[in-house]
Amino acid sequence: MRSSDARRAPLGLRAAAWAVVAFLHVPLALIVLYAFSAEDQSYVFPPPDLTTRWFAVAWNDRPDVWRAIRLSFEVASYATAFALVLGTLAAAALARTQFFGREAISLLLILPIALPGIITGIALRSAYSTLEIPFSFWTIVLGHATFCVVVVYNNAVARLRRTSPSLIEASMDLGADAFQTLRHVILPQLGSALLAGGLLAFALSFDEVIVTTFTAGQQTTLPIWMLAELVRPRQRPVTNVVAVVIIALTFVPILLAYYLTRADEPGAR
Amino acid sequence: MTALAAAALPPVKPHPVSDFFYRRRALLVLLLLVPPLLWVGVVYVGSLLALLANSFFGLDHFSGQVVREFTLKNFAELGTGANLDVVARTVGMALAVTLACIALALPVAYYMARYASGATRAALYIAIMLPLWSSYLVRLYAWKLLLAKEGAISWVLAKLHLSWVLEALLATPVIGGHSLSFSPLGTFIVFVYLWLPFMILPIQAALERVPASLIEASSDLGARPAGTFWRVVFPLAVPGIAAGAIFTFSLTLGDYIVPGVIGDSSMFIGQVVSLQQGTAGNIPFAAALSLVPIVVIALFLWGAKRLGAFDAL
């Protein structure tokens, strides 16, 4: 609903909008500042002195951080791989079809992120307990893949709807069979949307804590490590450094995903 | 002519599998759907059914083992005073957070949809999307730094000679507490911060579809800006607001980490569920309690559907 005349927004509205944006970002900036703070006992503001010492400490002396990062990375990789396959299949089936029960199926796919994480968590936990499945790497992956499917599905469905069906018809008219059309026409069209969906699914899994606490048992993923530090801080400066690393690690896939799918947004020009 | 064209094209070799599915689209769709439906159906719906079943089981308090016999004891326990308090506190917080998110999201969404263009709009979109996807725990941690007694908020207020405002707020019953990071007010602020992007984006999507001429027509017909906002823009934003409210409401209802890290010792539904399944090992009661958010959200979704929320997702 862009205004046709190049009118500027009223001052109050502009100020309110930018104030909210600042509200969203100042806390993140503050974490970066604290990572360099020389104070290691409290959260005193402003930091009395700045140092890069804690980056070295986190890098060299904390194998527990590295183990947690490694486990999160592995879980996210497997969860993303499962989600990519399942989400793409579901998108291919539902993008341009109409049949009885279609709405129910798409609701079912969205349900794992629409319901609070704690319900997904306790549901999986009671299923594991009822079936007497012991906690393992795969019990975490199973939970993560379930709510990552919808992210891939959303991206793939948006792209498939935007891709003209006449492209596929043209390919078939020119003599390609379904597999050749899939390889030379559909997949190249879908590629960047799948990459974006995969990146977001990865970021989602890498960061997930609520479901994970119910499905991990004694294993420590990076978010579970972070949660433990939040509840009982062990070495605050190291936590600050890890927080900055997480910000850096998650911003990259999110920004990449945004640039890959910009054109799929409904309001995009 | 036709002979020429046919000669120019490479010979088409029929592919049996491809041809088979080309003629049977329904079968193809079915086959594509089988793996994702099996996964979601078995893993997720199966787990939900296990949850439902567990809520009717009992617990042997001596052995700590789940007794697989039908009982309604868990639901009777839900009706006791302490548990009702927990439910009321959680639902109240979820409603307050949702209202605050609507109030903060409307100006940003309206500004983005109507005035911002080109680079500004893209920058705003990224500025809102980044926190939405970035780490929940890190963002919570940032508020632990901000709200601490010696932290940035107290420092800024002290510099502005406004510490008395903070003290007055903390002395207020119900919302106040020992310090910002140990008060319901702190919990509320953090919830609003965490879920705000989930409210902004759907409202912006809803307002994006409103033609500018509608606003112009309203002012041409003599409405003041405030009148236009409340009588034209706001009603058209309602589907977006409802869609955003589903997120803010459901996320607050199910969260158990925020009130544990920032807040006083009063419990929220999520915390009780987490404690019961963890230290107490009482999965049946945890299961019964977690049905409460499901019922509340189902009611909420039903209301949101009537407001057209699903068209704005």
Side-chain angles (χ1 to χ4, degrees), chain A residues 72-144:
Chain A
S72 280
F73 206 85
E74 287 170 356
V75 168
S77 304
Y78 277 102
T80 307
F82 283 122
L84 273 174
V85 174
L86 298 171
T88 312
L89 289 175
L94 300 178
R96 285 194 185 278
T97 47
Q98 281 300 334
F99 57 88
F100 178 75
R102 186 187 169 285
E103 292 302 309
I105 292 175
S106 66
L107 181 71
L108 193 63
L109 291 172
I110 294 170
L111 213 57
I113 56 164
L115 285 178
I118 194 160
I119 292 174
T120 311
I122 186 81
L124 286 167
R125 171 86 165 79
S126 40
Y128 295 157
S129 136
T130 308
L131 299 175
E132 287 166 18
I133 301 172
F135 292 120
S136 70
F137 177 75
W138 296 106
T139 54
I140 311 180
V141 172
L142 205 68
H144 283 202

Side-chain angles (χ1 to χ4, degrees), chain B residues 139-161:
Chain B
R139 298 197 306 137
L140 172 59
Y141 182 61
W143 280 91
K144 205 173 156 101
L145 305 178
L146 267 166
L147 297 174
K149 238 191 160 86
E150 70 277 16
I153 288 183
S154 307
W155 182 80
V156 170
L157 287 176
K159 286 279 165 199
L160 296 171
H161 302 289

